[in-house]
């Protein structure tokens, strides 16, 4: 289906009536440094606000797992009687690239399957969210989705491409046909990346000797343990719990969960304040192996989707892909011995 | 548990209320609590499992269940180390707590049946082990010889002393205790817990060795067990971590793909071969 600019915006206005739209958009002056802009996820109300090229600095995972969310509130401070406030959410559309749509499978595995119990807050949101696909005409410098097997997807409701005089759409989900009925018929297929600029080999498993390998010392020197990589990552789901006073009623307490990170201090404490993962090199090793080996052993697919965001946001210019390359080189040479 | 689909929608983070029926300070830092769920239901735990304890306004902490499933209600022993545990120390009988769980897989009772059991406990490592020790006592015919080794840093930190004396008085239990540093009131063994191992008079290679204590204790107990030719398959270690959610979601207790709150906290030592971060 092809729609000219006028038809598209009119169609989109009708979509906005029924859905909250979350898409990559430019926030002027809100970049990391003064007078810089940032391309990131935000609520949009017209197609013209959407940025169709480039990677967002943060993923859209906060739509499904908010940075800070209230789980329930206690009725008063003397009793721990808790009330389930549930999830109330307007149906939402999120514009995602193939890698990010594949990242939702990781969130599903963690929140819906891991531990054999469903997280009702996540599943409540998940039921209200649909995905619109953004295509990648060419790979960016830091991403490696083809190597991770996440460069394509069929799991989207509508694909939208920005063209010179309007938009091209492919509708997979009939629920959306009514919005785009005024266009001219055309067979539209999204483009997917077929080759990474720097292809990687991913080891299937690693030897225990890797734990004490020299390479982690370099990360202990460079990494500052800020956790920016895990915040930007579309598949990091770790969180911690906090009780905070209810601003509206001081007698009440809210239990909230907040994103946490394996990269920050005290994340992996044992009983008695002991810790087996203390250096930043240890934490880097834990994170990278979880992303490419440990999660895969459990669920059959890799956790890392190769979006390259962690490489872009690291203040110390540490590269996930370079680290995978090093691990692979070590496992290959170990295999030859 | 209802059989409709609402089970899927259940809020896994919502605690149930429990009431403190008894509390007692065991030493400077350890508080004993006996609790009953307000629902009237039993906790339904297996020996070695843990619960998440909520104090409104402060948060949650994972605490091992110390009582045997064969007992009425359930017991916790809480060390005063932070804001939640400090608030627990201030509770009186009749006060309420939030409880989630039981979580974790606990000791595999069936694998232990018929075997000689050797409990090696360091300090509050006794707390989770006690759930199994009292279960064994209540099902004595199902198990072989029972030996309990308890090591405590110093004399004033000893706790459950009446219970240790009761176990000691039992004909079918060998109870050995030590403290790390000599004390005028103490006439028993002085030295770390491993100094008691040579005093065990059963064939260690045929026994199940159950270990819980601080990391340094595991190190030396495991070295000693290797010298005694005890197979890794027969050693069970208890890896208590700061399990924030208890339900395999928050990620805090993960080590090399294993979630301690799910597959632990009790592990067969041979299952930890590929997990360098475990011990």
């Amino acid at each position: 289906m092809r729609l000219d600019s006028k038809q598209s915006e009119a169609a989109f206005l009708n979509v906005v009536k029924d859905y909250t739209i979350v898409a990559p958009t430019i926030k002027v002056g809100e970049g990391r440094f003064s007078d810089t802009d940032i391309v990131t996820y935000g609520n949009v109300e017209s197609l013209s606000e959407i940025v169709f090229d480039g990677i967002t600095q943060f993923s859209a995972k906060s739509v499904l797992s908010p940075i800070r969310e209230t789980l329930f509130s206690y009725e008063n401070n003397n009793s721990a009687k808790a009330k389930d406030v549930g999830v109330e959410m307007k149906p939402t559309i999120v514009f995602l690239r193939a890698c990010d749509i594949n990242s939702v499978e990781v969130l599903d595995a963690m929140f819906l399957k891991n531990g054999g119990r469903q997280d009702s807050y996540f599943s409540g949101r998940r039921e209200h969210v649909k995905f619109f696909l953004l295509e990648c005409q060419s790979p960016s410098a830091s991403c490696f989705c083809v190597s991770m097997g996440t460069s394509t997807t069929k799991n989207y409701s509508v694909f939208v491409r920005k063209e010179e005089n309007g938009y091209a759409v492919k509708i997979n989900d009939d629920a959306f046909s009514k919005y785009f009925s005024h266009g001219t018929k055309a067979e539209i297929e999204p483009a997917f990346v077929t080759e990474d600029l720097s292809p990687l080999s991913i080891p299937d498993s690693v030897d225990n000797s890797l734990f004490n390998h020299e390479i982690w010392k370099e990360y202990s020197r460079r990494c500052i343990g800020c956790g920016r990589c895990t915040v930007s990552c579309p598949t990091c789901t770790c969180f911690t719990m906090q009780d905070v006073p209810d601003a509206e009623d001081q007698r009440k307490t809210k239990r909230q969960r907040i994103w946490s990170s394996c990269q920050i201090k005290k994340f992996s404490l044992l009983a008695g304040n002991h810790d087996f993962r203390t250096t930043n090199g240890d934490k880097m090793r834990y994170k990278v192996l979880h992303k490419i080996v440990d999660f895969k052993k459990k669920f059959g697919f890799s956790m890392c989707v190769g979006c390259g965001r962690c490489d872009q946001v690291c203040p110390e210019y540490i590269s996930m892909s370079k680290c995978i390359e090093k691990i692979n080189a070590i496992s290959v040479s170990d295999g030859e011995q | 548990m209802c059989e409709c689909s609402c089970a899927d929608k259940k809020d896994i983070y919502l605690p149930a209320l429990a009431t403190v029926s008894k509390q007692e300070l065991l030493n400077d830092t350890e508080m004993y609590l006996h609790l009953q769920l307000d629902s009237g239901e039993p906790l339904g735990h297996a020996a070695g499992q843990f619960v998440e304890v909520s104090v409104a306004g402060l948060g949650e902490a994972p605490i091992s269940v110390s009582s045997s499933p064969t007992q009425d209600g359930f017991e916790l022993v809480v060390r005063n180390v932070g804001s939640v545990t400090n608030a627990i120390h201030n509770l009186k009988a009749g006060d309420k707590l939030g409880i989630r769980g039981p979580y974790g897989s606990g000791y595999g009772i069936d694998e232990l049946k018929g075997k000689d059991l050797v409990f090696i406990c360091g300090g509050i490592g006794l707390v989770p082990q006690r759930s199994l020790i009292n279960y064994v006592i209540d099902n004595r015919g199902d198990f072989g010889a029972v030996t309990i080794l308890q090591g405590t840093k110093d004399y004033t930190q000893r706790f459950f002393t009446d219970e240790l004396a009761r176990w000691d008085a039992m004909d079918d239990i060998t109870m050995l205790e030590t403290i790390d540093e000599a004390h005028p009131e103490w006439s028993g063994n002085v030295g770390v817990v491993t100094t008691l191992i040579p005093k065990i008079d059963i064939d260690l290679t045929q026994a199940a060795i159950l270990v819980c204590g601080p990391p340094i204790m595991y190190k030396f107990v495991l070295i000693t067990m290797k010298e005694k030719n005890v197979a890794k398959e027969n050693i069970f270690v208890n890896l208590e971590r700061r399990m924030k959610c208890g339900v395999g979601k928050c990620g805090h207790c993960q080590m090399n793909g294993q979630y301690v709150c799910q597959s632990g906290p009790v592990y067969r030592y041979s299952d930890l071969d590929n997990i360098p971060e475990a011990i």
Side-chain angles (χ1 to χ4, degrees):
Chain A
M1 195 71 87
R2 274 208 164 83
L3 297 89
D4 63 30
S5 298
K6 224 172 179 179
Q7 286 171 328
S8 321
E9 290 294 359
F12 202 70
L13 271 181
N14 284 327
V15 179
V16 171
K17 277 180 196 155
D18 298 337
Y19 293 90
T20 300
I21 318 281
V22 181
T25 186
I26 190 157
K27 296 199 173 170
V28 177
E30 290 186 30
R32 194 192 302 167
F33 304 108
S34 58
D35 291 332
T36 58
D37 305 333
I38 182 173
V39 174
T40 191
Y41 276 92
N43 289 8
V44 299
E45 285 178 350
S46 76
L47 277 170
S48 60
E49 290 176 62
I50 299 175
V51 175
F52 278 82
D53 50 1
I55 304 177
T56 57
Q57 200 167 97
F58 299 102
S59 79
K61 71 178 170 185
S62 59
V63 173
L64 289 164
S65 168
I67 297 170
R68 181 185 279 273
E69 83 178 301
T70 298
L71 300 182
F72 46 78
S73 60
Y74 291 113
E75 283 181 356
N76 65 61
N77 270 342
N78 299 321
S79 104
K81 197 178 167 198
K83 194 179 149 201
D84 184 358
V85 293
V87 176
E88 290 162 16
M89 182 179 178
K90 190 181 166 187
T92 300
I93 291 165
V94 190
F95 278 75
L96 297 175
R97 298 185 184 282
C99 59
D100 283 345
I101 288 180
N102 283 307
S103 79
V104 178
E105 252 180 85
V106 177
L107 304 187
D108 285 350
M110 281 308 301
F111 284 117
L112 303 180
K113 297 192 188 111
N114 204 41
R117 293 175 176 93
Q118 288 211 354
D119 182 306
S120 54
Y121 299 91
F122 177 87
S123 66
R125 287 199 175 76
R126 184 74 173 83
E127 287 162 10
H128 288 86
V129 175
K130 304 237 175 189
F131 306 121
F132 277 25
L133 176 70
L134 292 169
E135 71 181 344
C136 297
Q137 296 277 6
S138 58
S140 85
S142 65
C143 59
F144 46 99
C145 60
V146 180
S147 305
M148 299 313 300
T150 55
S151 56
T152 64
T153 182
K154 290 189 169 116
N155 182 22
Y156 56 92
S157 297
V158 178
F159 159 60
V160 183
R161 175 191 293 148
K162 190 178 183 180
E163 295 185 331
E164 213 168 311
N165 299 312
Y167 294 86
V169 296
K170 181 192 175 194
I171 296 164
N172 271 355
D173 180 344
D174 289 339
F176 290 97
S177 304
K178 61 176 179 185
Y179 299 106
F180 300 100
S181 55
H182 292 293
T184 47
K185 274 217 156 81
E187 285 297 313
I188 307 294
E189 282 301 325
F192 295 113
V193 174
T194 52
E195 203 178 344
D196 294 333
L197 292 177
S198 312
L200 291 176
S201 296
I202 318 296
D204 285 331
S205 62
V206 291
D207 191 80
N208 275 358
S209 60
L210 182 69
F211 275 69
N212 299 317
H213 201 279
E214 286 288 309
I215 60 166
W216 307 116
K217 286 186 182 160
E218 183 203 333
Y219 295 106
S220 285
R221 283 196 300 272
R222 288 173 63 194
C223 173
I224 58 168
C226 66
R228 199 179 260 177
C229 48
T230 61
V231 169
S232 69
C233 177
T235 65
C236 275
T237 56
C238 289
F239 61 85
T240 194
M241 308 270 221
Q242 250 181 20
D243 278 16
V244 296
D246 194 321
E248 285 155 21
D249 183 349
Q250 287 295 317
R251 290 168 305 174
K252 283 189 181 176
T253 293
K254 293 191 285 190
R255 173 146 304 157
Q256 298 190 322
R257 71 162 151 208
I258 324 150
W259 288 1
S260 187
S261 167
C262 57
Q263 301 302 298
I264 59 174
K265 269 185 190 166
K266 295 189 177 179
F267 179 82
S268 53
L269 280 187
L270 279 63
N273 279 330
H274 298 283
D275 200 349
F276 285 125
R277 208 183 297 141
T278 50
T279 70
N280 289 341
D282 284 342
K283 293 174 195 164
M284 177 76 180
R285 184 253 312 142
Y286 168 78
K287 179 189 75 182
V288 177
L289 291 185
H290 187 210
K291 292 288 177 196
I292 63 168
V293 178
D294 294 329
F295 181 92
K296 192 175 180 180
K297 273 187 200 158
K298 201 163 191 176
F299 292 104
F301 56 100
S302 188
M303 192 176 191
C304 175
V305 293
C307 70
R309 287 189 179 95
C310 51
D311 288 18
Q312 289 201 331
V313 299
C314 181
E316 295 293 310
Y317 308 104
I318 292 169
S319 160
M320 172 85 174
S321 47
K322 285 275 175 270
C323 185
I324 297 175
E325 238 168 44
K326 285 181 196 175
I327 294 172
N328 193 55
I330 294 164
S331 1
V332 169
S333 70
D334 279 357
E336 284 166 359
Q337 277 167 11
Chain B
M1 180 77 75
C2 62
E3 283 172 19
C4 60
S5 62
C6 70
D8 296 337
K9 296 276 179 196
K10 203 172 156 253
D11 183 352
I12 52 177
Y13 306 110
L14 198 63
L17 266 188
T19 304
V20 179
S21 37
K22 212 162 59 179
Q23 50 83 252
E24 186 192 342
L25 194 63
L26 300 175
N27 60 21
D28 282 352
T29 49
E30 265 72 62
M31 173 67 88
Y32 159 91
L33 300 169
H34 183 273
L35 295 145
Q36 294 278 2
L37 288 178
D38 285 11
S39 64
E41 301 279 315
L43 181 65
H45 70 290
Q49 285 192 298
F50 68 97
V51 288
E52 295 283 347
V53 182
S54 272
V55 177
L58 293 171
E60 260 187 333
I63 308 284
S64 304
V65 181
S66 186
S67 53
S68 159
T70 49
Q71 281 172 247
D72 185 40
F74 62 101
E75 297 169 338
L76 307 175
V77 175
V78 181
R79 174 169 283 184
N80 189 350
V81 288
S83 51
V84 172
T85 51
N86 184 44
I88 293 172
H89 269 239
N90 290 324
L91 293 174
K92 300 280 175 284
D95 287 348
K96 308 270 183 197
L97 271 178
I99 297 285
R100 289 195 295 126
Y103 296 130
S105 49
Y107 297 94
I109 297 279
D110 289 338
E111 298 164 29
L112 301 175
K113 278 187 179 164
K115 286 199 165 174
D116 291 346
L117 306 180
V118 177
F119 293 89
I120 304 180
C121 325
I124 50 171
L126 172 65
V127 173
Q129 299 259 61
R130 179 172 166 263
S131 66
L132 180 59
I133 293 171
N134 282 325
Y135 177 87
V136 171
I137 290 171
D138 290 341
N139 296 275
R140 197 61 191 89
D142 292 346
F143 303 91
V146 172
T147 309
I148 303 166
L149 313 188
Q150 168 68 26
T152 313
K153 218 178 215 170
D154 72 67
Y155 181 75
T156 58
Q157 286 182 347
R158 292 173 72 233
F159 61 100
F160 283 142
T161 46
D162 292 348
E163 195 158 352
L164 295 181
R166 204 172 73 237
W167 295 342
D168 193 23
M170 289 180 179
D171 293 338
D172 50 6
I173 288 181
T174 307
M175 175 77 221
L176 301 170
E177 202 188 343
T178 184
I179 58 172
D180 289 2
E181 290 162 29
H183 187 277
E185 301 281 324
W186 180 252
S187 57
N189 190 83
V190 174
V192 292
V193 77
T194 42
T195 61
L196 296 174
I197 294 174
K199 300 183 181 180
I200 304 172
D201 60 0
I202 59 160
D203 181 2
L204 284 176
T205 61
Q206 298 305 309
I209 317 291
L210 305 130
V211 195
C212 187
I216 187 78
M217 188 190 99
Y218 287 105
K219 190 178 167 190
F220 288 102
V221 167
L222 292 169
I223 290 170
T224 312
M225 288 303 151
K226 199 175 177 188
E227 287 165 5
K228 301 267 182 196
N229 296 317
V230 177
K232 285 181 173 181
E233 285 74 16
N234 293 336
I235 303 174
F236 297 84
V237 294
N238 204 324
L239 309 180
E240 304 289 349
R241 275 161 163 73
R242 291 275 181 92
M243 299 158 282
K244 280 272 177 192
C245 74
V247 288
K249 307 291 183 196
C250 78
H252 285 264
C253 69
Q254 200 195 356
M255 45 178 205
N256 314 106
Q258 292 267 353
Y259 288 77
V260 177
C261 71
Q262 299 301 308
S263 48
V266 183
Y267 283 94
R268 202 185 271 272
Y269 183 42
S270 53
D271 291 339
L272 300 176
D273 265 354
N274 285 314
I275 306 183
E277 276 188 341
I279 287 182

